Amino acid sequence: MNWSDDELSKIDQADDLKIAPFREDGATYGTPTWIWEVVVDGSLYVRGYHGQKSRWYQAAVHQKAGRIIAAGMTRTVAFEPVDGPINDRIDDAYRAKYRKSQYLPPMVSTRARAATVRITPRDENTSRRRIA
C-alpha cells in the first residue's frame, strides 16, 4: 500500500506525528512518541534523534509494524529501515522543514541517519500480527 497525496500532505503539514511500534507481544501498541517526519518522493520518513539507541527505533525495526497518529488520522503501518543515497534527500527535506530549529543538526547527523525509517500504510487485516 502507498500513501495518497492527500494523506501525505495532511501529515506533513500537521507536523504532529506520533509513532507507536508494537510491543514484544506483536499485538499491543507501544506508547506514542512524537517525532519529526519528512516526505520525500511520495514516501514518509522519520529518524531517531538518539540514533539506533532510540527505543521506538529499536521496537520499529524489531516488530516491523505498529501505528502512527497524525493529522487526525490513526493508521496501521509498516516500518522499514533505509540506508544509502536517499538519506541525502531526506537530509535536505529535514533542513528545509526544520531549518529554524536548534535540534536540526542532530537530525541530519550520522547517528540519526543510521536510524532512518520509511513508514508505509498497512492493510488493517494484517496490522495486528508480527511480520516475519
Side-chain angles (χ1 to χ4, degrees):
M1 292 183 71
N2 292 316
W3 296 106
S4 71
D5 290 340
D6 185 54
E7 288 172 317
L8 279 177
S9 178
K10 286 178 180 176
I11 291 168
D12 201 34
Q13 289 175 11
D15 196 29
D16 66 349
L17 190 139
K18 293 178 184 69
I19 190 169
F22 283 124
R23 295 188 187 272
E24 283 296 316
D25 64 8
T28 307
Y29 295 109
T31 302
T33 301
W34 181 79
I35 191 166
W36 284 2
E37 55 67 33
V38 294
V39 174
V40 176
D41 296 336
S43 292
L44 181 63
Y45 295 95
V46 295
R47 285 183 169 163
Y49 182 86
H50 296 288
Q52 293 180 349
K53 292 181 180 181
S54 298
R55 295 178 85 178
W56 72 261
Y57 174 82
Q58 292 175 4
V61 169
H62 181 71
Q63 295 295 330
K64 298 181 175 71
R67 73 175 164 198
I68 62 165
I69 304 162
M73 299 180 279
T74 300
R75 296 291 304 270
T76 57
V77 296
F79 302 116
E80 174 191 1
V82 297
D83 196 12
I86 188 66
N87 268 303
D88 294 335
R89 310 246 347 262
I90 295 168
D91 284 350
D92 292 343
Y94 271 101
R95 286 184 186 107
K97 185 170 184 176
Y98 300 106
R99 67 185 167 276
K100 295 180 181 178
S101 174
Q102 66 182 347
Y103 301 106
L104 175 62
M107 292 304 290
V108 295
S109 70
T110 302
R111 178 182 70 184
R113 283 174 62 119
T116 303
V117 173
R118 183 169 57 134
I119 301 174
T120 54
R122 290 179 47 89
D123 181 351
E124 290 289 330
N125 294 327
T126 60
S127 66
R128 289 203 167 257
R129 69 172 190 259
R130 185 172 167 203
I131 304 168

